[in-house]
């Protein structure tokens, strides 16, 4: 397989997909993101994702993961709200083990998927893709994509996905019917109608624990903030996803520069998000 | 209805309503603010409000909300005291659901309202206005004001309040007999005797979760710090309220500038309060 | 009564009383401070005092207050150790209610007072002064000093102490046989042998909740760091106490400058301590 | 005894032993460090070590100490993962009392030592050295080394170790068959094959509580990041250990400079690690 016609996403492309607030906005009209991530085993994913989302220009973030995790989330992000309520988009799955879902959690995930608003499916919720019809972005890495395709009886392997990510991202988008954001040093974003966008990471230092959780938070926030546009234009989802990856990379680039080229941790990314978004919006 | 004679509040107007400490002051004479906010459902409101209050020039903040929330509050603001005691003003209601008040909480709120010192009523305590006679500021947004007026059999709607906030703020102040601080891109402050002040938000980025909780904290602190003046001059309450809104907006403006025009979170505001107050005091 | 011969303490005086580490030092030889402060009612005092002590140049801080408070302390100051062990000085009493001492706490306080190492007695442990013979500094404000003197059948009042703090500090030092650090806009330090030092606060913004807890931490650390000198020279205690007050004031001055003259909170002081000590040591 | 041929480690020597990420890396290939440190008695050691490790360029840190400590760890370092899983190196022992090992902990330590991957043994796990065959660095101070040698029926004392640390470090490396990192104002690193490296601390302010815990974290991270190299070259362990000590010292030097020569706390070191590593990597 091979792939052509991929567009490398740039700062100038991204600006259009951010949604600045206006005088008529309140926190609800700016978009509310519902987040069901983290677990007793992996609470850190929730902390990173929620913090990233609150800093990415959404009106409100509702986090409704496990109760002890909520306290940790609030200590980092007191702006987050930890009760259920109306949301305009969902972020599901970071920091969860799909083999250990409680009945309560299954109910919450089903509720979210049935709500009809756009959904970002990450990590421990990837297996739920296809169980719903709302606009959806999935955020697998190569191994996770290979598994998803295998579940659909498409023969492939991690190695094959890694050697031709463009083709496999596009194929998965068509097969599964969702926007596929295949993570890597070059991230490939494909939608079922043929959108094909790449984003090249500006630094290899992004390959660090929690980095993907931060990306989930950015993406969830951008989707929630664009809920009105998405209601009218399903094709907006791929460019919004590409914009999230671009923001993530630019945040890493700034974070690395701030430590003179040294290593970074995932929470360094959240500290840079607001500036990156400010500069992109121009 | 229409409204005239509203004064737009400026930095030069605000300076007079701040109360700098003198050589004779101790933390008690500088004013103690009692805070009953937050809940198991919404602890974040307490964190943001207390942190904002401690940074707004009061001598001490007493936070006596739910016990688990106190631990979260102290982790952010170890200067706060979490025991009951004498206070010179109260901040009540942020982050509370009026439909879920425990008997203990009802007792605390009644005690506060009966104490005779100035009171700021926010969010989940707005329905208590009128049950006491102390100098009072309420801080509704349009929907909350419409509900308050409806409770008093004044026919209106959110849409009407939004289309003529000046008139409805003034009307509510007269009807209810308190200072009304009607939040919005332009905030209207009216008192029963005709004071009419507007404060225009310098950035739309203020419309974000927790922003109102921070405003409550600033306002409570400024009221507590001016307790001696307020004891002699009931008309001081409206300009103090306007000053709080101005400080809130200036903090947002600084916070947005610091992230190159990007989005902000409510706790970014608290980080700017001390500088804003320093510059206003000249 | 009147007082003469008081020396105003300056930066040049302080340098000599700081104890910089040498190549032969380890964390034990640099001094270990034992801290028994804070309570379920007032945990914040422990957080502020321990954080201040760790940043004031001591080798180690042992905090052995109530267990839930230890978790809060460690979250702010992971350098602190929360087990009992050998110490070279004690800080006792901040954030405690003397009317609510548990048997365990009484045992801990008695153990500390009987250990023979220098002791700083603050707030809720002031009443214990006299029950031991180790070198001691007490840190009352005017009301607390009046109470201490009344307990010793010396007739006075808060007003009298406030109107002539120099005389009453000196009198108390003689009567009680300890170094008295009488807090105020001008702090008076007196020892039983006639040492008489004043430190004028460079800003009135120091009169804020938790400010005294930070002073306790600084003082405890400086005493522990000078444990060898104190073992040989009891007269060192008053100048060390004066140095602690000077450091506290300089930290406030820096903190206020950093917020353009605005209000400060007690934890702003701890953030400045290391720089102040660095500049004093030259 | 005397010692010759010791090499003082410099920045230029260190660069080669850092392992920058490449385009082909993911968080797993960059190295995963398993950490079993801290205890109910000494949780702070875990906080400092994990935070230091996450900032030293490893792909992931797994912390599996006591459950209440995990919550404290995550609050500081949400990037850490608190579940068991594959690791490429272990850091064991900081903040543990060897006399108080639970059965669970003994099982975890034995599991780690039997896994065959490189191990850093610190503080409360030093007594376990020799119970396994994996590449190992131990990090004693003089007293701990004297105890270790005494356990092997080598007659010495703290004083002797202090007076000739080079000789005793070398002797211990030969006797025990591991890399010995003997901490001090000058740290001596020796391996059984004769490697002999010194690192002179650039500041005496490093002698502070928690400093050794931070060193453990840096060292564990560098070892995990070099797991591929170590699999092929056992002699790499001593220079990697020396590099960790150098990074630790440079972080202290930067931290001291940042506070104008004042005292530092251990967590100040972690805040400088990323920059130090960035500048070393050039």
């Amino acid at each position: 397989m091979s792939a052509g016609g991929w567009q490398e996403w740039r700062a100038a492309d991204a600006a259009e997909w951010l949604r600045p607030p206006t005088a008529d906005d309140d926190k609800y009209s700016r978009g509310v993101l519902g987040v069901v991530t983290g677990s007793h085993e992996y609470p850190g994913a929730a902390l990173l994702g929620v913090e990233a989302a609150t800093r990415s220009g959404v009106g409100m973030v509702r986090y409704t993961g496990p109760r002890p995790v909520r306290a940790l989330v609030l200590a980092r992000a007191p702006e987050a709200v930890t009760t259920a309520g109306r949301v305009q988009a969902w972020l599901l799955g970071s920091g969860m083990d799909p083999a250990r879902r409680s009945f309560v959690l299954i109910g919450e995930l089903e509720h979210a998927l049935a709500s009809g608003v756009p959904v970002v499916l990450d990590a421990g919720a990837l297996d739920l893709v296809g169980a719903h019809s709302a606009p959806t972005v999935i955020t697998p890495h190569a191994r996770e994509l290979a598994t998803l395709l295998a579940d659909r009886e498409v023969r492939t392997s991690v190695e094959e996905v890694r050697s031709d990510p463009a083709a496999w991202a596009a194929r998965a988008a068509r097969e599964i019917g969702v926007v596929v954001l295949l993570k890597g040093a070059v991230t490939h974003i494909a939608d079922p109608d043929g959108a094909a966008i790449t984003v090249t990471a500006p630094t290899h230092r992004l390959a660090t624990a929690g980095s993907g959780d931060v990306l989930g938070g950015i993406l969830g926030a951008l989707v929630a903030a664009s809920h009105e546009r998405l209601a009218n234009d399903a094709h907006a989802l791929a460019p919004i996803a590409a914009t999230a990856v671009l923001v993530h990379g630019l945040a890493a680039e700034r974070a690395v520069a701030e430590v003179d080229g040294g290593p970074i941790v995932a929470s360094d990314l959240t500290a840079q998000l607001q500036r990156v978004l400010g500069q992109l919006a121009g």
Side-chain angles (χ1 to χ4, degrees), chain A residues 6 8 17 28 39 41 43 50 67 103 165 168 183 185 192 242 246:
Chain A
W6 288 77
E8 173 73 11
W17 303 92
Y28 300 106
S39 56
E41 289 79 27
V50 170
R67 200 161 289 271
F103 284 112
W168 287 105
K183 294 189 273 201
L246 187 85

Side-chain angles (χ1 to χ4, degrees), chain A residues 94-130:
Chain A
S94 328
M96 284 181 180
D97 181 344
R100 282 175 166 242
R101 280 184 199 133
S102 69
F103 284 112
V104 171
L105 179 57
I106 291 170
E108 288 180 337
L109 293 172
E110 286 181 350
H111 167 75
L113 291 170
S115 66
V117 301
V119 175
V120 177
L121 291 180
D122 185 31
L126 285 170
D127 64 309
L128 300 175
V129 68

Side-chain angles (χ1 to χ4, degrees), chain A residues 254-271:
Chain A
R254 287 187 66 104
V256 170
E258 205 158 90
V259 294
D260 300 338
I264 57 173
V265 291
S267 46
D268 293 337
L269 302 176
T270 62

